[in-house]
Amino acid sequence: WYRTSYTDGTRRIKWFRSTDDGQSWATPQIVADMGGGLQFHPAVATNEDGDVYITYMHSPASSPGVSDSAACFVIRSVDNGVSFSAPIRLSDRYSNPYNSDFHHEYNWIAAIKGKLFAAWTDYRHLNPNIFVSGYKVNQLSNNNAATAYGGTTKTLYSDSTNRWNSVYIHDGKIHHTSSSNDGFSWEIDTILSGTLGGITSTSNPILVEASEGKLHVVFASTGNGIYHTRKAINGAWSTPTKIYNASSTSYPSLIINHDTGHVVFVSYSSG
């Protein structure tokens, strides 16, 4: 498992990992230190070889809102996150996200069969536009064409159980439901967040299926931190476990590759 954050003040991208199904986590470490400015909106992906990719936005300005202040960068690890490459800029120029009311659009990234596709929202034409960059055979392209809002799964189909699964927020709680008849009817919800408070739109619950059909959900709780819960086939959801303690976190994202989970999230603290 990996997870990434950026912090107020310095706003650096951080990550840490777990290799025991989320039971324990390493100490967070800074990756992609640009030596200044602001880094934010991280996204993470792995490929079938276990390589790890992290994209994020970087602004050389000391504060948000400066003209032409943000560009998309990527870093890569070929040793399962032990070390990362130097940052490579994907967007061919900086643009100002404060040109638009949509400056909270987040990055998306996917890696498969030796290729990487990174997408982000670009504001060089004053209005938000979708841009994409492709990666292949250790070469990065600046061909721009598309992007997406947040690569965060809320609904998935499990081949292991032949069921659709969905997580969502309602009445300040995180719910899970499933369907065995292709969505024509859905089971009674299970509340995943238990008695936890601080569930808001920024909690962003992420649903991912691992090996043997096990489901994992990661979410943020304002005032508490980042939580993880899991469910085996025919099992019950586990009690949410706090995997990061902080007063202000938001927008986590999760991906699992070869039984290694990778989490990115936003942290508004200096530690």
Side-chain angles (χ1 to χ4, degrees):
W1 294 71
Y2 291 79
R3 72 187 189 187
T4 309
S5 73
Y6 68 78
T7 63
D8 267 356
T10 56
R11 289 197 182 181
R12 299 293 183 260
I13 304 298
K14 287 186 175 182
W15 69 272
F16 59 89
R17 67 176 184 173
S18 169
T19 58
D20 56 8
D21 200 29
Q23 298 297 316
S24 61
W25 295 81
T27 301
Q29 299 183 33
I30 292 175
V31 295
D33 189 348
M34 307 288 285
L38 308 174
Q39 288 88 59
F40 50 97
H41 296 353
V44 64
T46 65
N47 62 18
E48 61 272 25
D49 296 321
D51 296 344
V52 182
Y53 300 88
I54 296 174
T55 60
Y56 58 93
M57 303 301 289
H58 167 69
S59 171
S62 59
S63 62
V66 178
S67 178
D68 293 340
S69 61
C72 186
F73 284 75
V74 64
I75 56 176
R76 177 192 183 196
S77 173
V78 296
D79 53 15
N80 202 27
V82 175
S83 62
F84 284 87
S85 67
I88 299 173
R89 197 174 85 186
L90 298 180
S91 45
D92 59 353
R93 57 165 288 182
Y94 285 82
S95 66
N96 184 4
Y98 285 82
N99 282 334
S100 168
D101 290 335
F102 293 93
H103 62 272
H104 292 299
E105 302 296 317
Y106 297 92
N107 294 355
W108 173 88
I109 185 173
I112 187 171
K113 295 182 179 179
K115 298 181 180 180
L116 173 74
F117 298 94
W120 66 95
T121 308
D122 194 284
Y123 309 88
R124 67 187 67 187
H125 303 304
L126 299 183
N127 293 316
N129 290 287
I130 293 173
F131 280 66
V132 68
S133 183
Y135 175 101
K136 183 179 180 182
V137 195
N138 295 327
Q139 295 180 353
L140 285 168
S141 168
N142 286 329
N143 295 327
N144 301 313
T147 194
Y149 169 77
T152 55
T153 306
K154 300 295 189 298
T155 302
L156 62 82
Y157 182 80
S158 171
D159 289 323
S160 299
T161 61
N162 297 317
R163 303 176 74 87
W164 285 97
N165 294 271
S166 183
V167 295
Y168 63 94
I169 297 173
H170 177 64
D171 289 338
K173 301 183 187 310
I174 295 175
H175 299 248
H176 166 262
T177 184
S178 63
S179 171
S180 60
N181 56 9
D182 207 23
F184 287 99
S185 63
W186 293 81
E187 295 185 353
I188 297 175
D189 292 5
T190 298
I191 296 176
L192 304 186
S193 51
T195 58
L196 282 171
I199 305 301
T200 69
S201 60
T202 64
S203 296
N204 201 43
I206 308 307
L207 174 66
V208 175
E209 183 179 21
S211 60
E212 300 178 350
K214 183 180 291 185
L215 299 178
H216 293 260
V217 170
V218 168
F219 62 91
S221 169
T222 301
N224 296 298
I226 303 294
Y227 286 79
H228 166 253
T229 179
R230 61 185 184 272
K231 177 186 183 300
I233 292 180
N234 300 321
W237 285 98
S238 65
T239 300
T241 300
K242 184 183 292 188
I243 56 178
Y244 184 74
N245 183 33
S247 60
S248 185
T249 56
S250 62
Y251 298 106
S253 184
L254 167 69
I255 193 169
I256 298 175
N257 181 267
H258 297 305
D259 293 325
T260 297
H262 308 260
V263 178
V264 294
F265 67 99
V266 176
S267 172
Y268 302 89
S269 65
S270 60

